[in-house]
Amino acid sequence: MAIAGLLTTPKRADLALVLGNTVTRGNRPMPRLEARLEAARALYANGGCATIMVSGGIDPHDHRNEAAGMKQWLVDHGVPSQKIEEDPYGNDTRASARHAEAWLAAHDKRSVVAVSQFYHLPRTRLALHQAGAVDAGGTYPRRWFLRDIYSSYREALGYPAYWLQVDGALRRRHADINASS
């Protein structure tokens, strides 16, 4: 998976989907997320996409909002606010992919380029394809983090689960267990 991600390149797309990651209590992106945002900003600046969607969740305990933090970072770094779509309900990769496809369909657009760490690109692109979006490749930060080693191995399980769509069955099973408790 990691090698496939490293070999991924972006094509011109209607939308760039930036997957969320950790933000501080003040919604400032942590270094790995900031690196993704740098890659998205560069893609936009070079004409690689018309719009950027920032997709991430809201922490239920302290209300940190990944999408709001990502949007503010991009605006602070020169991307016009009206060129950024904020998705605060992207709690996982599949949800982010569904929301990106819904935005594309609502705006009569089709293609999306994924922006995440290299190891996450194959699963993100699979989720986008499964959601019905036209795959325009992906881009990733050229900064490396120690956690990338662990995360690369984790994707060895994540990709097959998405391919088999086991993640949805597990989520439904977990919801059923919680509902009966």
Side-chain angles (χ1 to χ4, degrees), residues 92 94 98 130 158 160-178:
D92 60 40
R94 191 173 302 285
R98 284 193 314 266
Q130 289 173 334
Y162 267 51
W163 185 71
L164 295 169
Q165 298 189 13
V166 172
D167 62 303
L170 291 175
R171 198 172 315 127
R172 285 188 300 279
R173 173 87 172 115
H174 182 71
D176 291 345
I177 291 169
N178 285 342

Side-chain angles (χ1 to χ4, degrees), residues 58-161:
I58 298 174
D59 188 291
H61 303 292
D62 61 15
H63 308 289
R64 286 180 287 169
N65 185 325
E66 294 173 5
M70 291 190 286
K71 181 174 183 175
Q72 188 59 56
W73 189 96
L74 287 167
V75 169
D76 291 348
H77 289 83
V79 179
S81 178
Q82 66 271 21
K83 295 294 185 177
I84 305 167
E85 289 295 321
E86 194 175 336
D87 170 26
Y89 304 107
N91 294 325
D92 60 40
T93 303
R94 191 173 302 285
S96 295
R98 284 193 314 266
H99 301 160
E101 169 53 27
W103 184 91
L104 289 166
H107 292 86
D108 199 28
K109 307 289 182 186
R110 297 297 310 142
S111 61
V112 59
V113 60
V115 183
S116 191
Q117 261 62 26
F118 66 93
Y119 53 80
H120 191 213
L121 289 177
R123 183 163 54 98
T124 303
R125 294 175 65 203
L126 174 63
L128 286 164
H129 172 77
Q130 289 173 334
V134 173
D135 177 21
T139 190
Y140 57 90
R142 297 317 193 254
R143 290 171 47 195
W144 302 84
F145 300 89
L146 188 57
R147 187 169 173 89
D148 292 348
I149 296 167
Y150 157 78
S151 297
S152 294
Y153 284 106
R154 187 188 69 198
E155 288 300 314
L157 298 174
Y159 186 91

